[in-house]
Amino acid sequence: MIDIQYFLILSAVLFSIGVIGVLVRRNAIVIFMCIELMLNSVNLSLITFSSFFSNYYGQIFVFFIMTVAAAEAAVGLAIIISIYRNKESINVDEINILKW
Amino acid sequence: MMLENYVFYLFALVTIVSAFIVVFSKNIVHSAVALFFTLFSVSGFYVLLRADFIALTQILVYIGGILVLIIFGIMLTNKVTGAELKTRNLHFIPSVVVTGIITGMIIFLLLSTDWNPVKDPFSPNSTIKQIGFKLLGDYLLPFEIASVILLVALIGSAMYARKK
């Protein structure tokens, strides 16, 4: 049987790959995909706990996280497309009109 | 039992390698295709953990919904033939060092904790019935609020993406 640590370490590694992506890449859509990676790794650890401790609360939590992730994806991409229409670019270094 | 281990390592390899491709690929379309493999193998982990309903929802929502949305976003915001698809990296070394230190600390904590899980974690029964009872019983109000959130997101994204 696979131990609980393997799943949790995999989830931690996946999360940190997503963090590196958000920190390193400058394209808004790639940052978006990295956020999805991080959400997936958190879901994976929640499912791991739910399965190893034999209750269903983790799975229901993951269900609601997926709902919010779908809403976030729709609104986020709409914002990115709207920004692209105005500035002809989705490089996050050039989107700085809210900065002083 | 041994087969489970092999399946775990296979899915772990696919997940990590394709997540690296998502992050470090210069071409955004390659990133999106690699994200497909990552999401699919995470869904494989859910099956391995006996969470069948969540595995199906993962395929439906993430691959069928979010990934298609992302590919639409790529097609709408890039000049496909030009050099726009190529993007550069920034602050590579400090990001990797800081994230590596934090990940090492997390892994050390995970390994040094005594988790003490229950004896037989993997029940062969389907989880759909229990999740359905809980969603329409104890969690009815959050369930309905989630549907309102989806409606608001639908209206809001249509409003933002519309041409003025």
Side-chain angles (χ1 to χ4, degrees):
Chain A
M1 200 186 79
I2 310 156
D3 282 335
I4 185 170
Q5 282 94 346
Y6 290 88
F7 287 101
L8 293 177
I9 288 172
L10 182 84
S11 163
V13 170
L14 196 58
F15 189 87
S16 45
I17 292 173
V19 172
I20 290 174
V22 170
L23 291 176
V24 163
R25 301 302 298 267
R26 295 294 93 190
N27 186 309
I29 290 184
V30 178
I31 290 177
F32 209 75
M33 289 194 252
C34 296
I35 291 173
E36 298 298 331
L37 276 186
M38 291 196 278
L39 278 169
N40 259 285
S41 75
V42 173
N43 283 354
L44 181 59
S45 62
L46 278 171
I47 294 281
T48 305
F49 285 126
S50 156
S51 168
F52 273 87
F53 294 95
S54 294
N55 62 35
Y56 294 103
Y57 300 115
Q59 300 196 16
I60 289 166
F61 200 14
V62 167
F63 184 74
F64 288 119
I65 289 176
M66 279 181 181
T67 313
V68 176
E72 171 248 335
V75 176
L77 280 169
I79 291 173
I80 288 174
I81 288 169
S82 168
I83 287 172
Y84 181 77
R85 189 177 294 139
N86 285 328
K87 301 200 63 144
E88 293 288 317
S89 163
I90 50 169
N91 188 331
V92 290
D93 283 339
E94 295 169 19
I95 305 165
N96 52 7
I97 52 173
L98 280 180
K99 258 189 198 169
W100 273 20
Chain B
M1 281 307 163
M2 283 308 287
L3 185 66
E4 248 177 11
N5 287 349
Y6 290 138
V7 170
F8 177 83
Y9 288 123
L10 177 70
F11 278 132
L13 189 71
V14 172
T15 307
I16 300 295
V17 169
S18 56
F20 265 106
I21 296 173
V22 170
V23 172
F24 294 113
S25 169
K26 294 288 173 200
N27 190 329
I28 305 177
V29 180
H30 292 179
S31 293
V33 175
L35 187 67
F36 168 81
F37 287 101
T38 313
L39 297 174
F40 205 86
S41 51
V42 169
S43 146
F45 283 119
Y46 295 162
V47 173
L48 204 59
L49 288 164
R50 309 310 198 262
D52 46 0
F53 175 69
I54 297 295
L56 284 176
T57 317
Q58 165 96 359
I59 292 178
L60 276 176
V61 172
Y62 271 102
I63 297 175
I66 293 178
L67 194 57
V68 172
L69 263 181
I70 286 175
I71 290 173
F72 265 104
I74 291 171
M75 296 300 169
L76 285 175
T77 55
N78 283 286
K79 300 165 181 71
V80 179
T81 52
E84 280 276 314
L85 280 172
K86 306 245 186 296
T87 51
R88 68 200 174 84
N89 292 344
L90 192 78
H91 304 315
F92 181 72
I93 301 294
S95 313
V96 171
V97 168
V98 170
T99 317
I101 290 171
I102 294 174
T103 312
M105 284 160 64
I106 293 174
I107 289 176
F108 173 73
L109 271 180
L110 290 178
L111 286 177
S112 59
T113 308
D114 183 20
W115 290 105
N116 197 13
V118 294
K119 279 281 183 248
D120 181 23
F122 302 119
S123 74
N125 300 323
S126 169
T127 60
I128 295 177
K129 190 176 178 186
Q130 279 87 358
I131 289 179
F133 276 124
K134 281 208 164 50
L135 274 183
L136 289 180
D138 295 344
Y139 294 92
L140 185 59
L141 184 63
F143 188 69
E144 297 294 335
I145 291 176
S147 68
V148 175
I149 284 177
L150 286 176
L151 179 68
V152 170
L154 179 69
I155 296 171
S157 54
M159 191 196 81
Y160 271 122
R162 186 186 57 180
K163 231 184 193 85
K164 289 287 187 304

